[in-house]
Amino acid sequence: NAGVTQTPKFQVLKTGQSMTLQCAQDMNHNSMYWYRQDPGMGLRLIYYSASEGTTDKGEVPNGYNVSRLNKREFSLRLESAAPSQTSVYFCASSDGGMQWETQYFGPGTRLLVL
Amino acid sequence: RKEVEQDPGPFNVPEGATVAFNCTYSNSASQSFFWYRQDCRKEPKLLMSVYSSGNEDGRFTAQLNRASQYISLLIRDSKLSDSATYLCVVNGNTNAGKSTFGDGTTLTVKP
């Protein structure tokens, strides 16, 4: 039982390049989330998917797109990377997306945009 | 003003000390409250949920004060392994998609 996995662990991009961050969970959770964490700051929600087939914007969605491929997988795409998107990206999942549930996080993807 | 604000820290304490962190939130409709722990360069992990009546888990005690809109975390008999960043998380009254994280308070426990 791997929990939440993310690939890649590290990535360096040049401004304007595109990439997709992959996330998968094996806990049969309905809800999945993408966060970014900048140095010295808390996590900010980019997008979330309450259930398979639905996605909604979070606090900082600009410059990102997401796809809930199936119940297990939730990907985050940067179409044209910018230096401001340099950050650590965490994927998370929770059972039903209810307010009292624990969120389980993946190990993160460290992205540097030059 | 941020929706969730935490003591800026860092807190540097000796082993065995008692340390307390506070977290204030601005949305009076908030329903669920949590403390997560984040080790350096790792993912956050749930430390404990915070219930209206307050709750305790070993050396950790969490309390909620709805009237003043703050939650607290008390750590007794600090261990070296408690060194981490502690994140306050507040959920709105809809679903977990509206989680708001504080910026975290860093604790270093020294021998």
Side-chain angles (χ1 to χ4, degrees), chain A residues 84-107:
Chain A
S84 61
Q85 294 178 305
T86 293
S87 190
V88 181
Y89 291 84
F90 288 103
C91 177
S93 70
S94 66
D95 191 3
M98 300 310 290
Q99 55 187 303
W100 54 80
E101 292 173 352
T102 301
Q103 292 187 45
Y104 296 87
F105 288 83

PDB file of all heavy atoms in Angstrom, chain A residues 84-107:
ATOM      1  N   SER A  84       7.708  32.158 -11.611  1.00  0.00           N
ATOM      2  CA  SER A  84       6.833  32.268 -10.442  1.00  0.00           C
ATOM      3  C   SER A  84       6.211  30.934 -10.048  1.00  0.00           C
ATOM      4  O   SER A  84       5.627  30.814  -8.957  1.00  0.00           O
ATOM      5  CB  SER A  84       5.718  33.283 -10.708  1.00  0.00           C
ATOM      6  OG  SER A  84       4.929  32.860 -11.816  1.00  0.00           O
ATOM      7  N   GLN A  85       6.324  29.943 -10.918  1.00  0.00           N
ATOM      8  CA  GLN A  85       5.783  28.622 -10.621  1.00  0.00           C
ATOM      9  C   GLN A  85       6.831  27.703  -9.974  1.00  0.00           C
ATOM     10  O   GLN A  85       6.540  26.541  -9.697  1.00  0.00           O
ATOM     11  CB  GLN A  85       5.197  27.978 -11.875  1.00  0.00           C
ATOM     12  CG  GLN A  85       3.978  28.725 -12.390  1.00  0.00           C
ATOM     13  CD  GLN A  85       3.410  28.140 -13.663  1.00  0.00           C
ATOM     14  OE1 GLN A  85       4.120  27.989 -14.669  1.00  0.00           O
ATOM     15  NE2 GLN A  85       2.130  27.817 -13.649  1.00  0.00           N
ATOM     16  N   THR A  86       8.013  28.235  -9.729  1.00  0.00           N
ATOM     17  CA  THR A  86       9.006  27.501  -8.958  1.00  0.00           C
ATOM     18  C   THR A  86       8.455  27.276  -7.559  1.00  0.00           C
ATOM     19  O   THR A  86       8.098  28.229  -6.860  1.00  0.00           O
ATOM     20  CB  THR A  86      10.329  28.301  -8.876  1.00  0.00           C
ATOM     21  OG1 THR A  86      10.906  28.365 -10.179  1.00  0.00           O
ATOM     22  CG2 THR A  86      11.304  27.647  -7.904  1.00  0.00           C
ATOM     23  N   SER A  87       8.357  26.002  -7.165  1.00  0.00           N
ATOM     24  CA  SER A  87       7.706  25.692  -5.903  1.00  0.00           C
ATOM     25  C   SER A  87       7.836  24.190  -5.634  1.00  0.00           C
ATOM     26  O   SER A  87       8.393  23.445  -6.439  1.00  0.00           O
ATOM     27  CB  SER A  87       6.223  26.085  -5.962  1.00  0.00           C
ATOM     28  OG  SER A  87       5.623  26.012  -4.691  1.00  0.00           O
ATOM     29  N   VAL A  88       7.305  23.767  -4.509  1.00  0.00           N
ATOM     30  CA  VAL A  88       7.135  22.344  -4.227  1.00  0.00           C
ATOM     31  C   VAL A  88       5.651  22.038  -4.372  1.00  0.00           C
ATOM     32  O   VAL A  88       4.806  22.734  -3.780  1.00  0.00           O
ATOM     33  CB  VAL A  88       7.616  21.963  -2.816  1.00  0.00           C
ATOM     34  CG1 VAL A  88       7.431  20.466  -2.588  1.00  0.00           C
ATOM     35  CG2 VAL A  88       9.082  22.348  -2.619  1.00  0.00           C
ATOM     36  N   TYR A  89       5.336  21.049  -5.161  1.00  0.00           N
ATOM     37  CA  TYR A  89       3.952  20.696  -5.440  1.00  0.00           C
ATOM     38  C   TYR A  89       3.599  19.398  -4.713  1.00  0.00           C
ATOM     39  O   TYR A  89       4.278  18.386  -4.846  1.00  0.00           O
ATOM     40  CB  TYR A  89       3.742  20.531  -6.950  1.00  0.00           C
ATOM     41  CG  TYR A  89       3.851  21.843  -7.680  1.00  0.00           C
ATOM     42  CD1 TYR A  89       5.095  22.351  -8.063  1.00  0.00           C
ATOM     43  CD2 TYR A  89       2.710  22.602  -7.953  1.00  0.00           C
ATOM     44  CE1 TYR A  89       5.190  23.573  -8.707  1.00  0.00           C
ATOM     45  CE2 TYR A  89       2.813  23.822  -8.598  1.00  0.00           C
ATOM     46  CZ  TYR A  89       4.052  24.312  -8.967  1.00  0.00           C
ATOM     47  OH  TYR A  89       4.148  25.534  -9.596  1.00  0.00           O
ATOM     48  N   PHE A  90       2.526  19.463  -3.939  1.00  0.00           N
ATOM     49  CA  PHE A  90       2.040  18.298  -3.208  1.00  0.00           C
ATOM     50  C   PHE A  90       0.672  17.900  -3.735  1.00  0.00           C
ATOM     51  O   PHE A  90      -0.220  18.740  -3.892  1.00  0.00           O
ATOM     52  CB  PHE A  90       1.927  18.593  -1.716  1.00  0.00           C
ATOM     53  CG  PHE A  90       3.245  18.715  -1.000  1.00  0.00           C
ATOM     54  CD1 PHE A  90       3.737  19.966  -0.656  1.00  0.00           C
ATOM     55  CD2 PHE A  90       3.978  17.588  -0.672  1.00  0.00           C
ATOM     56  CE1 PHE A  90       4.948  20.086   0.004  1.00  0.00           C
ATOM     57  CE2 PHE A  90       5.187  17.698  -0.003  1.00  0.00           C
ATOM     58  CZ  PHE A  90       5.679  18.946   0.330  1.00  0.00           C
ATOM     59  N   CYS A  91       0.527  16.608  -3.934  1.00  0.00           N
ATOM     60  CA  CYS A  91      -0.772  16.026  -4.236  1.00  0.00           C
ATOM     61  C   CYS A  91      -1.300  15.400  -2.950  1.00  0.00           C
ATOM     62  O   CYS A  91      -0.514  14.913  -2.115  1.00  0.00           O
ATOM     63  CB  CYS A  91      -0.614  14.962  -5.323  1.00  0.00           C
ATOM     64  SG  CYS A  91      -2.113  14.072  -5.748  1.00  0.00           S
ATOM     65  N   ALA A  92      -2.592  15.414  -2.759  1.00  0.00           N
ATOM     66  CA  ALA A  92      -3.192  14.816  -1.567  1.00  0.00           C
ATOM     67  C   ALA A  92      -4.504  14.141  -1.940  1.00  0.00           C
ATOM     68  O   ALA A  92      -5.088  14.427  -2.994  1.00  0.00           O
ATOM     69  CB  ALA A  92      -3.428  15.880  -0.490  1.00  0.00           C
ATOM     70  N   SER A  93      -4.957  13.262  -1.070  1.00  0.00           N
ATOM     71  CA  SER A  93      -6.265  12.638  -1.282  1.00  0.00           C
ATOM     72  C   SER A  93      -6.982  12.500   0.054  1.00  0.00           C
ATOM     73  O   SER A  93      -6.350  12.518   1.122  1.00  0.00           O
ATOM     74  CB  SER A  93      -6.119  11.266  -1.945  1.00  0.00           C
ATOM     75  OG  SER A  93      -5.547  10.328  -1.052  1.00  0.00           O
ATOM     76  N   SER A  94      -8.291  12.413  -0.007  1.00  0.00           N
ATOM     77  CA  SER A  94      -9.083  12.132   1.191  1.00  0.00           C
ATOM     78  C   SER A  94     -10.260  11.263   0.787  1.00  0.00           C
ATOM     79  O   SER A  94     -10.649  11.229  -0.382  1.00  0.00           O
ATOM     80  CB  SER A  94      -9.552  13.422   1.870  1.00  0.00           C
ATOM     81  OG  SER A  94     -10.462  14.129   1.063  1.00  0.00           O
ATOM     82  N   ASP A  95     -10.845  10.631   1.770  1.00  0.00           N
ATOM     83  CA  ASP A  95     -11.836   9.596   1.497  1.00  0.00           C
ATOM     84  C   ASP A  95     -13.032  10.133   0.709  1.00  0.00           C
ATOM     85  O   ASP A  95     -13.301   9.729  -0.409  1.00  0.00           O
ATOM     86  CB  ASP A  95     -12.277   8.983   2.825  1.00  0.00           C
ATOM     87  CG  ASP A  95     -13.109   7.720   2.619  1.00  0.00           C
ATOM     88  OD1 ASP A  95     -13.286   7.301   1.452  1.00  0.00           O
ATOM     89  OD2 ASP A  95     -13.600   7.149   3.603  1.00  0.00           O
ATOM     90  N   GLY A  96     -13.758  11.082   1.308  1.00  0.00           N
ATOM     91  CA  GLY A  96     -14.980  11.538   0.655  1.00  0.00           C
ATOM     92  C   GLY A  96     -15.010  13.024   0.399  1.00  0.00           C
ATOM     93  O   GLY A  96     -16.005  13.553  -0.064  1.00  0.00           O
ATOM     94  N   GLY A  97     -13.911  13.707   0.740  1.00  0.00           N
ATOM     95  CA  GLY A  97     -13.875  15.144   0.509  1.00  0.00           C
ATOM     96  C   GLY A  97     -14.642  15.932   1.544  1.00  0.00           C
ATOM     97  O   GLY A  97     -14.918  17.106   1.354  1.00  0.00           O
ATOM     98  N   MET A  98     -14.979  15.309   2.657  1.00  0.00           N
ATOM     99  CA  MET A  98     -15.721  16.040   3.685  1.00  0.00           C
ATOM    100  C   MET A  98     -14.771  16.811   4.576  1.00  0.00           C
ATOM    101  O   MET A  98     -13.601  16.500   4.718  1.00  0.00           O
ATOM    102  CB  MET A  98     -16.546  15.056   4.512  1.00  0.00           C
ATOM    103  CG  MET A  98     -17.560  14.261   3.690  1.00  0.00           C
ATOM    104  SD  MET A  98     -18.580  15.315   2.642  1.00  0.00           S
ATOM    105  CE  MET A  98     -19.580  16.135   3.878  1.00  0.00           C
ATOM    106  N   GLN A  99     -15.290  17.817   5.207  1.00  0.00           N
ATOM    107  CA  GLN A  99     -14.472  18.799   5.902  1.00  0.00           C
ATOM    108  C   GLN A  99     -13.703  18.223   7.074  1.00  0.00           C
ATOM    109  O   GLN A  99     -12.670  18.756   7.464  1.00  0.00           O
ATOM    110  CB  GLN A  99     -15.366  19.930   6.401  1.00  0.00           C
ATOM    111  CG  GLN A  99     -16.516  19.424   7.268  1.00  0.00           C
ATOM    112  CD  GLN A  99     -17.473  20.525   7.618  1.00  0.00           C
ATOM    113  OE1 GLN A  99     -17.065  21.501   8.176  1.00  0.00           O
ATOM    114  NE2 GLN A  99     -18.747  20.370   7.277  1.00  0.00           N
ATOM    115  N   TRP A 100     -14.179  17.129   7.647  1.00  0.00           N
ATOM    116  CA  TRP A 100     -13.537  16.614   8.849  1.00  0.00           C
ATOM    117  C   TRP A 100     -12.514  15.521   8.552  1.00  0.00           C
ATOM    118  O   TRP A 100     -11.925  14.957   9.455  1.00  0.00           O
ATOM    119  CB  TRP A 100     -14.588  16.043   9.802  1.00  0.00           C
ATOM    120  CG  TRP A 100     -15.460  15.026   9.156  1.00  0.00           C
ATOM    121  CD1 TRP A 100     -15.192  13.713   8.909  1.00  0.00           C
ATOM    122  CD2 TRP A 100     -16.779  15.256   8.632  1.00  0.00           C
ATOM    123  NE1 TRP A 100     -16.242  13.116   8.288  1.00  0.00           N
ATOM    124  CE2 TRP A 100     -17.237  14.025   8.097  1.00  0.00           C
ATOM    125  CE3 TRP A 100     -17.611  16.374   8.573  1.00  0.00           C
ATOM    126  CZ2 TRP A 100     -18.493  13.907   7.512  1.00  0.00           C
ATOM    127  CZ3 TRP A 100     -18.853  16.247   7.994  1.00  0.00           C
ATOM    128  CH2 TRP A 100     -19.282  15.016   7.464  1.00  0.00           C
ATOM    129  N   GLU A 101     -12.291  15.245   7.258  1.00  0.00           N
ATOM    130  CA  GLU A 101     -11.431  14.124   6.911  1.00  0.00           C
ATOM    131  C   GLU A 101      -9.964  14.489   6.884  1.00  0.00           C
ATOM    132  O   GLU A 101      -9.572  15.615   6.584  1.00  0.00           O
ATOM    133  CB  GLU A 101     -11.831  13.585   5.545  1.00  0.00           C
ATOM    134  CG  GLU A 101     -13.190  12.917   5.559  1.00  0.00           C
ATOM    135  CD  GLU A 101     -13.626  12.536   4.163  1.00  0.00           C
ATOM    136  OE1 GLU A 101     -12.947  12.936   3.198  1.00  0.00           O
ATOM    137  OE2 GLU A 101     -14.653  11.870   4.041  1.00  0.00           O
ATOM    138  N   THR A 102      -9.140  13.497   7.149  1.00  0.00           N
ATOM    139  CA  THR A 102      -7.701  13.636   7.020  1.00  0.00           C
ATOM    140  C   THR A 102      -7.324  13.667   5.544  1.00  0.00           C
ATOM    141  O   THR A 102      -7.872  12.921   4.746  1.00  0.00           O
ATOM    142  CB  THR A 102      -7.002  12.438   7.675  1.00  0.00           C
ATOM    143  OG1 THR A 102      -7.382  12.376   9.044  1.00  0.00           O
ATOM    144  CG2 THR A 102      -5.492  12.558   7.562  1.00  0.00           C
ATOM    145  N   GLN A 103      -6.386  14.528   5.217  1.00  0.00           N
ATOM    146  CA  GLN A 103      -5.811  14.510   3.878  1.00  0.00           C
ATOM    147  C   GLN A 103      -4.463  13.799   3.948  1.00  0.00           C
ATOM    148  O   GLN A 103      -3.673  14.045   4.856  1.00  0.00           O
ATOM    149  CB  GLN A 103      -5.632  15.935   3.350  1.00  0.00           C
ATOM    150  CG  GLN A 103      -6.965  16.635   3.080  1.00  0.00           C
ATOM    151  CD  GLN A 103      -6.800  17.974   2.394  1.00  0.00           C
ATOM    152  OE1 GLN A 103      -6.037  18.109   1.447  1.00  0.00           O
ATOM    153  NE2 GLN A 103      -7.510  18.971   2.878  1.00  0.00           N
ATOM    154  N   TYR A 104      -4.217  12.922   2.973  1.00  0.00           N
ATOM    155  CA  TYR A 104      -2.965  12.175   2.910  1.00  0.00           C
ATOM    156  C   TYR A 104      -2.164  12.727   1.735  1.00  0.00           C
ATOM    157  O   TYR A 104      -2.675  12.806   0.617  1.00  0.00           O
ATOM    158  CB  TYR A 104      -3.247  10.682   2.712  1.00  0.00           C
ATOM    159  CG  TYR A 104      -3.978  10.073   3.882  1.00  0.00           C
ATOM    160  CD1 TYR A 104      -5.367  10.112   3.949  1.00  0.00           C
ATOM    161  CD2 TYR A 104      -3.287   9.482   4.928  1.00  0.00           C
ATOM    162  CE1 TYR A 104      -6.049   9.583   5.028  1.00  0.00           C
ATOM    163  CE2 TYR A 104      -3.961   8.934   6.008  1.00  0.00           C
ATOM    164  CZ  TYR A 104      -5.336   8.990   6.055  1.00  0.00           C
ATOM    165  OH  TYR A 104      -6.006   8.462   7.126  1.00  0.00           O
ATOM    166  N   PHE A 105      -0.924  13.075   2.011  1.00  0.00           N
ATOM    167  CA  PHE A 105      -0.097  13.760   1.024  1.00  0.00           C
ATOM    168  C   PHE A 105       0.940  12.849   0.395  1.00  0.00           C
ATOM    169  O   PHE A 105       1.454  11.923   1.033  1.00  0.00           O
ATOM    170  CB  PHE A 105       0.630  14.940   1.680  1.00  0.00           C
ATOM    171  CG  PHE A 105      -0.265  16.095   2.010  1.00  0.00           C
ATOM    172  CD1 PHE A 105      -1.000  16.110   3.176  1.00  0.00           C
ATOM    173  CD2 PHE A 105      -0.390  17.159   1.125  1.00  0.00           C
ATOM    174  CE1 PHE A 105      -1.841  17.181   3.479  1.00  0.00           C
ATOM    175  CE2 PHE A 105      -1.222  18.232   1.415  1.00  0.00           C
ATOM    176  CZ  PHE A 105      -1.956  18.237   2.590  1.00  0.00           C
ATOM    177  N   GLY A 106       1.253  13.122  -0.866  1.00  0.00           N
ATOM    178  CA  GLY A 106       2.373  12.500  -1.528  1.00  0.00           C
ATOM    179  C   GLY A 106       3.669  13.180  -1.115  1.00  0.00           C
ATOM    180  O   GLY A 106       3.644  14.206  -0.429  1.00  0.00           O
ATOM    181  N   PRO A 107       4.815  12.646  -1.551  1.00  0.00           N
ATOM    182  CA  PRO A 107       6.123  13.170  -1.132  1.00  0.00           C
ATOM    183  C   PRO A 107       6.512  14.489  -1.771  1.00  0.00           C
ATOM    184  O   PRO A 107       7.487  15.107  -1.357  1.00  0.00           O
ATOM    185  CB  PRO A 107       7.089  12.051  -1.532  1.00  0.00           C
ATOM    186  CG  PRO A 107       6.407  11.378  -2.676  1.00  0.00           C
ATOM    187  CD  PRO A 107       4.942  11.444  -2.378  1.00  0.00           C
TER     188      PRO A 107
END
